[in-house]
């Protein structure tokens, strides 16, 4: 919803100063949404509610990360524009594709993430950028077949060494090497979110019949703002819940 609003405002052709005010307001809006979802997630006890909140939390965190990255790119572009212009052929980068398919494994020292991108070995070295923090990394591949490719992974399962982490570009493949901060430790999952989702799949013996009013309100907001997949997930959960309640009443 925030992205759609941003596109609408951009289409209005507002002056630069007003666009900056809008960007700051949008960033604040997303941060407040994230804080509210975190609070509700701490209070939630039902598996379906926690799953929906966890998905929304991840979505908001990714959007905030993307906005920060876009802001950094804009600053870099402004600096580049201040340099003397060279007579070169224009390069069209097209739109940015989010990378969702990857594989990973590990050794005693590294967690290795493999991303397949046809022709990536043919782009200039500076077009493949990876930024590491202790618990995240983001990959940006610029101008590959007229498109850019982005992958952001937050909340890594365990801390990594920023200085010891790196990337390698091979034939049609980008290899990201995350150096384990504590060597000889095994990662059962790549991220903390994956671990939490797996743990939530375990049988729950929650005896509560209805979530609190606050949780119902946030689910309503998630449904209204969510995409088609999110709406289908919530609809399915609601129908199953109603069916179980009806069946319980009949048997009673």
């Amino acid at each position: 919803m925030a992205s759609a609003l941003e596109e609408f405002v951009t289409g209005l052709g507002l002056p630069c100063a007003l666009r900056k005010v809008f960007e700051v307001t949008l960033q604040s809006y997303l941060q407040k949404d994230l804080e509210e979802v975190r609070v509700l997630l701490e209070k939630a006890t039902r598996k379906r509610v926690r799953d929906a909140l966890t998905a929304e939390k991840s979505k908001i965190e990714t959007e905030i990360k993307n906005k920060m990255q876009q802001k950094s790119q804009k600053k870099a572009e402004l600096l580049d524009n201040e340099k003397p212009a060279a007579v070169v052929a224009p390069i069209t980068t097209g739109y940015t594709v989010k990378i969702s398919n990857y594989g990973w494994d590990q050794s005693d020292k590294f967690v290795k993430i493999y991303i397949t991108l046809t022709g990536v070995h043919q782009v200039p070295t500076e077009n493949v950028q990876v930024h590491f923090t202790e618990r995240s990394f983001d990959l940006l591949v610029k101008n590959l077949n007229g498109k850019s490719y982005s992958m952001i992974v937050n909340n890594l399962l365990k801390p990594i060494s920023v200085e010891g982490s790196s990337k390698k570009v091979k034939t049609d493949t980008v290899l990201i090497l995350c150096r384990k901060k504590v060597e000889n430790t095994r990662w059962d999952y790549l991220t903390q979110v994956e671990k939490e989702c797996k743990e939530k799949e375990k049988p729950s013996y929650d005896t509560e019949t209805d979530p609190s009013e606050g949780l119902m309100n946030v689910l309503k907001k998630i449904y209204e703002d969510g995409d088609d997949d999110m709406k289908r997930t919530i609809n399915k959960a609601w129908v199953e819940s109603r069916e179980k309640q009806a069946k319980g009443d009949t048997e009673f």
Side-chain angles (χ1 to χ4, degrees), residues 3 49 55 80 137 149 187 190-191 198 226 243 250:
S3 297
V49 175
D80 289 340
F137 70 83
Y149 292 82
W187 290 31
L190 182 60
T191 67
K198 288 294 183 181
E243 288 177 349
T250 301

Side-chain angles (χ1 to χ4, degrees), residues 1-8 26 63 67:
M1 182 177 182
S3 297
L5 180 59
E6 184 179 23
E7 291 176 1
F8 171 76
L26 178 61
E63 189 168 1
K67 297 302 178 189

Side-chain angles (χ1 to χ4, degrees), residues 53-86:
L53 290 170
T54 299
E56 183 65 10
K57 174 174 172 289
S58 178
K59 179 180 177 182
I60 296 173
E61 287 176 340
T62 299
E63 189 168 1
I64 291 174
K65 185 73 174 180
N66 287 339
K67 297 302 178 189
M68 294 177 64
Q69 187 176 20
Q70 291 172 5
K71 186 176 180 181
S72 297
Q73 290 175 353
K74 288 180 181 179
K75 289 183 178 179
E77 290 172 0
L78 288 174
L79 292 175
D80 289 340
N81 291 335
E82 294 176 358
K83 298 178 181 178

Side-chain angles (χ1 to χ4, degrees), residues 27 43 68 79 84-85 87 103 110 117 123 134 140 148 185 195-198 207 228 241-242 244 251:
Q27 188 76 15
K43 296 179 180 179
M68 294 177 64
L79 292 175
V87 180
F110 291 94
L117 291 173
V123 303
E134 193 174 66
L140 178 63
S148 293
T185 56
K195 178 183 177 182
E196 292 175 358
C197 288
K198 288 294 183 181
T207 58
D228 291 340
S241 176
R242 298 291 293 180
K244 288 181 179 180
E251 292 178 352

Side-chain angles (χ1 to χ4, degrees), residues 3 12 21 24 48-49 54 70 74 83 88 98 104-105 123 138 142 145 163-164 183 185 202 205 219 230 245 251-252:
S3 297
L12 294 178
V21 172
V24 173
R48 295 186 187 281
V49 175
T54 299
Q70 291 172 5
K74 288 180 181 179
K83 298 178 181 178
V88 294
K98 292 184 179 180
W104 72 282
D105 63 13
V123 303
D138 61 83
K142 298 180 179 179
N145 299 323
E163 296 77 11
E183 297 180 3
T185 56
K202 297 178 181 179
Y205 299 97
L219 280 178
M230 177 60 68
Q245 289 181 9
E251 292 178 352
F252 180 77

